[in-house]
Amino acid sequence: AKCSDCHGHHGIRRASDPESMVHPNHKLETCRKCHPGAPAGFAKFWPHADYHDADKYPILHYVYLT
């Protein structure tokens, strides 16, 4: 995936903007453009997660360490 797949090509907005493709109200719809039938939990994926940040992403950090 490239940035524009989730964020769009033009009119990119903050995730907090209700018109954003990645706003919680649109996120699953955006995911389903490439992943038809994706369940609601699919949209919980952290595409910009930092595996070094053990406080914010403890599971990801642990997986990185193992």
Side-chain angles (χ1 to χ4, degrees):
K2 51 191 182 299
C3 301
S4 59
D5 291 336
C6 300
H7 296 280
H9 291 61
H10 302 286
I12 298 169
R13 301 170 184 266
R14 293 185 180 276
S16 59
D17 184 326
E19 298 296 319
S20 170
M21 291 176 63
V22 294
H23 183 274
N25 293 347
H26 302 287
K27 192 171 179 184
L28 185 56
E29 175 187 344
T30 298
C31 292
R32 286 180 174 164
K33 288 180 180 180
C34 296
H35 304 277
F42 188 89
K44 293 182 180 180
F45 174 70
W46 302 320
H48 302 291
D50 180 0
Y51 59 87
H52 290 107
D53 189 342
D55 294 327
K56 192 169 182 182
Y57 307 103
I59 296 170
L60 184 61
H61 180 71
Y62 174 76
V63 171
Y64 164 72
L65 294 176
T66 58

